[in-house]
Amino acid sequence: MDASELELRYEQLLAQWLERVEGELGFQVTQGPPADWIRDVYRDHGELPADRFAQIAFERKLRLVLDAFPAVAASAERDTGLRVELRPDATHPSPDFPAGTVMVAELAIQSFEPAGVRAEVADAVQTYLADRYGRLWPLCQEHDRGLHAVTYENEALWWCRAQDHPASRIPLE
């Protein structure tokens, strides 16, 4: 077997393992080709059982949420003068709930990628401010309209739908 055949076989085995794991867990970890972090898990650990992979995926998501939340909450507090009185909440994987869950306010974070997690955390904080204080945050400075948290080209952005343009990055720090 030459190098290209070995690489193709490796990719097939990785895809089959990931499909099996997602089937056993009942949730999709990635759309499209496996993300780099999944490739790293497979390279470092081989074909882990679904429950062990779920624990690794859960820990990754929780770490990303805990990294993103302080910057987003601080930005909201700075911009609005309102206190963000919530904290992320986690339920670890278990036999009854194999994926576990990470929540911010009432929103279950779905993404496993940094930009996606940051956008979802921003959306949760935005919803919290609207529900708790009736405050629309943030606003597009050009159009005075509410912005939407999105991922675009692997970045977490506040997006203005009034003129379909990025307004600003969702903060990292």
Side-chain angles (χ1 to χ4, degrees), residues 5-78:
E5 290 173 324
L6 284 174
E7 188 175 322
L8 179 61
R9 182 68 181 138
Y10 181 86
E11 290 297 319
Q12 289 171 338
L13 291 171
L14 169 60
Q16 289 169 358
W17 167 74
L18 185 56
E19 186 177 329
R20 227 176 14 257
V21 164
E22 289 177 335
E24 287 179 37
L25 294 175
F27 71 93
Q28 191 171 0
V29 179
T30 188
Q31 295 183 5
D36 288 343
W37 73 272
I38 296 171
R39 291 177 180 286
D40 292 346
V41 169
Y42 187 74
R43 181 198 64 227
D44 295 346
H45 303 285
E47 294 192 5
L48 285 172
D51 63 336
R52 180 66 188 120
F53 177 76
Q55 186 64 40
I56 291 170
F58 169 82
E59 289 168 4
R60 174 186 174 80
K61 184 185 295 185
L62 179 59
R63 186 175 57 254
L64 290 170
V65 168
L66 293 175
D67 287 348
F69 180 79
V72 172
S75 176
E77 289 179 352
R78 192 173 43 254

Side-chain angles (χ1 to χ4, degrees), residues 84-85 113 162 168:
V84 177
E85 295 176 350
E113 298 303 323
S168 64

Side-chain angles (χ1 to χ4, degrees), residues 1 16-17 22 27 41 50 54 61-62 74 83 89-90 93 103 107 111-113 119 136 158 164-166:
M1 239 183 224
Q16 289 169 358
W17 167 74
E22 289 177 335
F27 71 93
V41 169
K61 184 185 295 185
L62 179 59
R83 184 136 171 85
D89 184 39
M103 308 270 299
L107 180 71
S111 183
F112 291 93
E113 298 303 323
L136 185 58
W158 287 115
D164 198 30
H165 68 92

Side-chain angles (χ1 to χ4, degrees), residues 57-158:
F58 169 82
E59 289 168 4
R60 174 186 174 80
K61 184 185 295 185
L62 179 59
R63 186 175 57 254
L64 290 170
V65 168
L66 293 175
D67 287 348
F69 180 79
V72 172
S75 176
E77 289 179 352
R78 192 173 43 254
D79 293 351
T80 65
L82 301 171
R83 184 136 171 85
V84 177
E85 295 176 350
L86 63 102
R87 296 290 171 256
D89 184 39
T91 303
H92 290 265
S94 67
D96 294 333
F97 198 61
T101 187
V102 180
M103 308 270 299
V104 177
E106 300 297 318
L107 180 71
I109 305 300
Q110 301 297 316
S111 183
F112 291 93
E113 298 303 323
V117 167
R118 209 165 45 257
E120 289 182 57
V121 167
D123 184 47
V125 170
Q126 182 182 54
T127 301
Y128 166 82
L129 291 173
D131 291 349
R132 169 105 192 234
Y133 298 107
R135 180 71 181 265
L136 185 58
W137 170 84
L139 296 175
C140 177
Q141 292 182 2
E142 262 183 77
H143 303 103
D144 201 33
R145 298 259 179 97
L147 298 172
H148 300 272
V150 300
T151 56
Y152 180 75
E153 295 181 357
N154 283 333
E155 283 195 69
L157 302 172
W158 287 115

